[in-house]
Amino acid sequence: MNNSHQYNPSWNPNWFLSVILDNHIDAMVARYSCLLTLRLDFFYKKNTPHYLHQDHHALERDLRLLMNKMMQKAAVVGYFWVIEWTVDHGFHAHAAYWLDGHQTQRSYPFALQAGELWKELTQQEGYFNICQFKEPYKADINIPVRYNEPTSILNIRRVLSYLTKEEQKEGLCSYGCNEVPQRPMSGRPRKAMDTISEN
């Protein structure tokens, strides 16, 4: 049985990005039995060359460099990012990283590393924000995602659904995510179970 739980966010989800993100989450959960997630936003400082001469292609280039560097870290096993535009920030990115819960139980140090790498890649013209759980939120990014705990999978769908919002995309559908490897054949077989998905 596929249990669905109604969730009404305060933004309008982009159907294409929603499908891409859901498939990405499914693939990550199928591959890793326990995942930690961290969320960051990446910006350029105002009145710097990166900000004044930016376009989404330049931001995509910087993001790909950042993702490649982060994926070289042992516990980092995946990522998903989208680009948005606002009057205040210009082009900026919302990103999520996946960590293997069997290799680390602490996500915050990796968030700091990603932020420092971003500043380095942008010649100190970039800055970042680490997204942390706050009481009014309906979902908690600090809850580990376990393949055999459907509520934890539903929780992370809700956390990351913000990346799919239609607002601030300005007609742009620019995203990136890692290729998810298949589970090794030598791994312990999993019991069949139903998962929860959003409708």
Side-chain angles (χ1 to χ4, degrees), residues 80-136:
F80 191 97
W81 56 260
V82 296
I83 289 177
E84 294 185 352
W85 185 90
T86 62
V87 174
D88 287 342
H89 298 298
F91 285 111
H92 59 281
H94 301 299
Y97 289 99
W98 299 101
L99 308 177
D100 187 339
H102 293 296
Q103 296 191 47
T104 184
Q105 285 76 52
R106 298 175 64 225
S107 61
Y108 192 72
F110 290 92
L112 290 177
Q113 290 176 50
E116 291 305 313
L117 276 172
W118 176 249
K119 291 196 291 187
E120 179 184 314
L121 286 168
T122 59
Q123 293 82 50
Q124 305 302 314
E125 293 182 8
Y127 70 100
F128 67 98
N129 175 58
I130 300 173
C131 305
Q132 301 187 54
F133 174 71
K134 296 178 183 176
E135 284 302 324

Side-chain angles (χ1 to χ4, degrees), residues 14 17 56 60 83-85 91 169-174:
N14 175 284
L17 285 175
H56 71 273
E60 285 179 13
I83 289 177
E84 294 185 352
W85 185 90
F91 285 111
K169 296 295 190 295
E170 295 297 309
L172 186 68
C173 192
S174 183

Side-chain angles (χ1 to χ4, degrees), residues 4-29:
S4 62
H5 288 231
Q6 193 64 35
Y7 177 51
N8 298 308
S10 58
W11 59 85
N12 298 308
N14 175 284
W15 70 267
F16 175 75
L17 285 175
S18 296
V19 170
I20 295 294
L21 178 59
D22 274 344
N23 288 339
H24 177 70
I25 292 172
D26 289 344
M28 292 298 297
V29 172

